[in-house]
Amino acid sequence: MTNPGLEGVVVADTQISEVDGERGRLVIAGSDVEQLAASTGFEGAARLVLAAGGADPAALGDAAFGAARAAAWELLPRLGDALDHPDAMDALRTALGHLRPAAGDAGGPADAVAAIGAAPVVVAAWSRRRAGGEPVAPDPALGHAADYLRMTLGRAGDASCVRALDAYLVTVIDHAMSASTFTARVIASTASDLISAMVGAVGALKGPLHGGAPGPVLDMLDAIGAPDRAEAWLLGELAAGRRIMGMGHRVYRVRDPRAAVLEEAVRPLASPRLALARAIERAAAKVLLERKPDRPLAANVEFYTAVLLDAVGLPREQFSATFAVSRIAGWSAHVLEQRRTGRLIRPASHYTGRMP
Ligand code: COA
């Protein structure tokens, strides 16, 4: 029997992360996501996932990520018109394709750090160009979150915004066998290089069923505008056959635990959209329960991603690519692990065409 969504198919043993969809629990490299987001920044979380994938953490000091951002700045003049792509994910995909994979096995960890450093520089440069400004050079002495925000805004972000963005980057760093991670592992399984796996993973993340939802979530908050309009608007969407963005998940049957972490992280920013988002989430959960009583559909990570990234000052066109700025560490960890422990991934298909 075919299983086109591969639900429940286990394709890897992994030490990187574990999702318990029934209980709403996410463990990343041995820590619950709530604890990880409260106890470390992006660099620390990246070190943990890469080490879980088999990299030597000694080569992954904070300075390595700063140096990789500085190296990526040198890449920008070679990108041609890639930064003029209307879509940030297309710009990122093209830019990552310009990174030259290092030769041999050593290429894994070195390429991982290069790709992790390149993503924020490229996405921020894309955003500056789109806004009619000039790209801002990285400051390797800053933390990853602080520098990404600074390169995007053209000035240092408030400390509270940097903290919230850092919490976001930690929270979404890995999520077991998501579609983009699987894509990266499939590419790595052919003994291809890490950079090629990152390019493929960005392509998989771009789709609205995966990482493309937070921009549309913000559009939804804008369209609804006030809590008392939520239910009617949501019912209209369902009647038109559309899905409610930021709701539902392939694995979670309860609220995505990352939604709570991000909801908490955005609280100190006093976003005017937070109260509206909470009201819309409640209304969406209610109408979806009435319409689909057999399929629990609760808020996923993208719901409060939209509120948080908006509150720190990022434009909505940059949301999906900001997800990639974090997840590129998780993808890299999976590629390292796949190269160490995996096997060529080559499933089968069921032929339904004519026989000769
Ligand atoms: N709004 C309305 N209905 C939804 C829904 C949503 N957000 N998510 C799922 N459903 C419905 C489907 O229409 C389907 O109904 P049906 O059986 O009557 O056709 C049922 O719930 C099961 O959905 P299915 O498509 O099998 O689930 P999936 O595991 O493939 O979907 C998502 C998971 C994430 C793709 C899906 O929930 C979705 O599209 N959500 C909105 C986009 C989003 O937020 N993406 C970010 C994910 S982190």
Side-chain angles (χ1 to χ4, degrees):
M1 206 179 67
T2 50
N3 177 5
L6 300 183
E7 283 103 322
V9 176
V10 177
V11 296
D13 288 330
T14 183
Q15 304 212 357
I16 301 167
S17 66
E18 161 79 354
V19 177
D20 181 338
E22 298 296 329
R23 291 184 190 80
R25 184 176 193 191
L26 167 60
V27 172
I28 300 174
S31 299
D32 279 306
V33 64
E34 296 83 356
Q35 187 216 333
L36 194 68
S39 61
T40 189
F42 173 78
E43 287 90 332
R47 222 167 0 258
L48 282 173
V49 294
L50 289 168
D56 175 5
L60 300 169
D62 291 2
F65 297 106
R69 292 195 306 277
W73 179 249
E74 307 300 327
L75 183 72
L76 295 191
R78 290 197 271 122
L79 294 184
D81 62 2
L83 294 180
D84 299 326
H85 275 299
D87 189 311
M89 294 294 274
D90 291 337
L92 179 61
R93 169 174 50 65
T94 309
L96 290 175
H98 279 70
L99 290 173
R100 297 208 184 111
D105 274 354
D111 289 348
V113 173
I116 292 167
V121 175
V122 168
V123 176
W126 173 89
S127 186
R128 299 285 300 166
R129 284 277 281 273
R130 184 180 151 276
E134 283 302 311
V136 173
D139 178 351
L142 290 179
H144 216 65
D147 207 17
Y148 177 48
L149 195 55
R150 184 187 133 276
M151 288 186 286
T152 299
L153 302 178
R155 56 170 171 79
D158 295 343
S160 57
C161 291
V162 171
R163 264 196 304 279
L165 181 59
D166 213 5
Y168 168 76
L169 295 178
V170 172
T171 302
V172 304
I173 199 162
D174 200 59
H175 202 242
M177 204 49 60
S178 69
S180 54
T181 302
F182 180 56
T183 304
R185 286 193 81 127
V186 170
I187 294 173
S189 84
T190 70
S192 182
D193 61 276
L194 183 140
I195 300 300
S196 298
M198 298 303 104
V199 171
V202 169
L205 182 66
K206 183 182 167 188
L209 299 188
H210 188 359
V217 168
L218 203 59
D219 295 340
M220 170 176 76
L221 301 190
D222 286 350
I224 294 176
D228 59 351
R229 286 166 33 96
E231 197 163 323
W233 190 92
L234 294 164
L235 287 171
E237 287 296 286
L238 294 179
R242 287 190 286 270
R243 290 182 176 203
I244 310 303
M245 288 291 128
M247 300 296 292
H249 197 274
R250 171 58 62 83
V251 181
Y252 290 118
R253 291 294 169 268
V254 292
R255 196 175 189 241
D256 184 332
R258 299 168 298 175
V261 177
L262 299 183
E263 188 184 0
E264 187 56 29
V266 80
R267 224 162 33 92
L269 305 185
S271 159
R273 287 194 162 102
L274 183 57
L276 177 63
R278 285 176 168 151
I280 294 174
E281 183 196 349
R282 275 195 302 277
K286 175 171 172 280
V287 299
L288 286 169
L289 181 64
E290 285 162 10
R291 289 299 158 102
K292 306 229 172 276
D294 302 334
R295 165 84 182 202
L297 294 166
N300 63 49
V301 65
E302 309 290 21
F303 206 92
Y304 289 95
T305 290
V307 183
L308 188 151
L309 295 184
D310 172 63
V312 303
L314 301 187
R316 68 191 75 191
E317 296 77 12
Q318 199 177 328
F319 288 0
S320 300
T322 300
F323 191 124
V325 165
S326 164
R327 184 58 64 82
I328 198 163
W331 293 332
S332 298
H334 279 273
V335 167
L336 299 182
E337 187 175 62
Q338 179 70 33
R339 283 159 61 127
R340 268 193 320 114
T341 62
R343 179 174 158 77
L344 173 66
I345 298 173
R346 203 299 187 189
S349 49
H350 173 224
Y351 179 63
T352 57
R354 270 184 341 110
M355 292 304 277

